[in-house]
Amino acid sequence: MTSATNKADDTIARSVTHAMFTIERVYDASPARVFRAFSDEEAHHRWFVTEEGWDVIEYNHDFRVGGREGGRFSQDGKVFYFNDTLYQDIVPDNRIVFAYTMDRDDTRISASVATVELKPEGDGKTRLKFTEQGAFLDGFDKAEFREEGWQGLLEKLAVEITEHA
């Protein structure tokens, strides 16, 4: 992946904005089915990695405690975004905890810890609770952008679960 360093640069006003957000959704699928959309590489690639208008330059998926996931993406072939994820805790069909950083070219823009909780919700449904605690750096990224991004991803997850049951 990348090793952004955010080198000394007197032209950048240094700041850290700490934020936390939670998104809850109910899916018409069992916790095992929702979990599989995270753990199965092909399913994960369909809803999490591919996005219209974005080129995926590289991506890897090592879904296990201590495993790394990440990739490099671009909309225009000029500016590249990097994601580097480290899985901290995985309880099948119940919980996923991961830490991840996001970089834009050689600049670290955020570092976060995220938790996905899966709970049965009667009649074969699952309540997913996604919580992210982030440090958004130097004004390059914002919690609002990240929350909006995750809202879209969790909508794509609903499509994945429905279309590939």
Side-chain angles (χ1 to χ4, degrees):
M1 288 299 119
T2 184
S3 58
T5 59
N6 288 4
K7 301 171 190 154
D9 183 341
D10 292 339
T11 64
I12 296 173
R14 298 297 180 177
S15 64
V16 178
T17 301
H18 297 275
M20 183 175 104
F21 62 88
T22 299
I23 303 167
E24 291 194 45
R25 285 203 53 148
V26 176
Y27 294 101
D28 192 14
S30 69
R33 175 68 194 104
V34 177
F35 182 83
R36 192 167 42 258
F38 282 87
S39 63
D40 179 82
E41 186 172 359
E42 288 180 25
H44 192 256
H45 199 274
R46 283 190 297 265
W47 72 269
F48 186 80
V49 179
T50 58
E51 179 67 36
E52 189 173 327
W54 284 85
D55 291 326
V56 179
I57 289 72
E58 63 181 288
Y59 200 80
N60 67 299
H61 180 78
D62 185 8
F63 187 80
R64 62 182 174 85
V65 174
R68 291 195 101 88
E69 172 182 313
R72 186 166 67 124
F73 313 89
S74 181
Q75 283 185 300
D76 61 9
K78 298 174 187 170
V79 177
F80 294 88
Y81 289 87
F82 301 86
N83 159 266
D84 183 23
T85 298
L86 177 62
Y87 287 102
Q88 304 291 327
D89 183 61
I90 298 172
V91 178
D93 307 340
N94 182 271
R95 178 178 68 224
I96 305 164
V97 180
F98 53 96
Y100 73 102
T101 57
M102 292 292 295
D103 301 342
R104 184 176 69 207
D105 293 326
D106 292 330
T107 302
R108 172 83 17 102
I109 63 174
S110 67
S112 299
V113 173
T115 304
V116 176
E117 298 173 82
L118 305 172
K119 303 290 181 198
E121 178 93 0
D123 294 334
K125 296 182 180 184
T126 299
R127 177 171 297 277
L128 180 147
K129 182 178 179 182
F130 177 87
T131 304
E132 181 165 335
Q133 301 168 28
F136 300 91
L137 308 173
D138 304 328
F140 294 121
D141 199 359
K142 295 182 179 181
E144 298 84 28
F145 300 159
R146 190 63 51 80
E147 184 172 2
E148 180 180 313
W150 273 103
Q151 290 278 9
L153 286 169
L154 295 177
E155 184 62 33
K156 287 178 66 178
L157 174 60
V159 172
E160 170 65 28
I161 291 167
T162 301
E163 291 183 0
H164 298 93

